[in-house]
Amino acid sequence: MNISIDVQERDHQTTITLAGEIDAYTAPKLREAAFPYTEKQHANVVIDLSGVTYMDSTGLGVFVGLFKSLNANEGTLELNGLSDRLKRLFDITGLADIMNINPKAEGGI
């Protein structure tokens, strides 16, 4: 179980490109890499999930935490490139109703 995390900052936007699996083993790595960007005032974070092949509830918890941190700091979170399976996971949990999700949008800057 591996995850690849690539972070790029440009023009007041942080783009985080993920590949692999987000589970109990890799979620702490994602949290550690992403949270510093959510704590900045008015941060704009875009996460490209097009390379993610699997995510469990631990991964969902990371995204809830990122979302809450950004909201507290008046920032925004956009999730791009969700597979049908990941989009369904966000739909079932109700997170798709509160998060900005573009299932087929291409990530990157």
Side-chain angles (χ1 to χ4, degrees):
M1 294 183 227
N2 270 332
I3 187 169
S4 167
I5 304 169
D6 179 56
V7 179
Q8 295 183 15
E9 291 184 89
R10 184 189 304 169
D11 299 329
H12 308 293
Q13 176 176 303
T14 301
T15 301
I16 302 171
T17 304
L18 305 176
E21 299 179 355
I22 305 172
D23 56 21
Y25 176 72
T26 60
K29 295 176 187 176
L30 173 57
R31 182 179 290 114
E32 182 180 319
F35 260 87
Y37 300 100
T38 69
E39 296 171 336
K40 298 176 183 177
Q41 197 69 13
H42 303 289
N44 178 18
V45 177
V46 176
I47 300 180
D48 177 7
L49 296 163
S50 58
V52 174
T53 56
Y54 173 82
M55 183 165 49
D56 67 10
S57 60
T58 312
L60 283 175
V62 172
F63 287 101
V64 169
L66 294 172
F67 180 76
K68 286 182 176 183
S69 179
L70 282 160
N71 276 347
N73 292 299
E74 301 178 17
T76 61
L77 174 65
E78 180 179 322
L79 303 179
N80 290 339
L82 281 74
S83 66
D84 290 340
R85 183 177 178 152
L86 288 180
K87 175 68 167 85
R88 181 162 162 71
L89 188 60
F90 279 87
D91 286 339
I92 289 171
T93 59
L95 294 174
D97 295 334
I98 61 169
M99 293 185 179
N100 182 8
I101 297 176
N102 299 308
K104 301 300 179 186
E106 290 298 316
I109 44 181

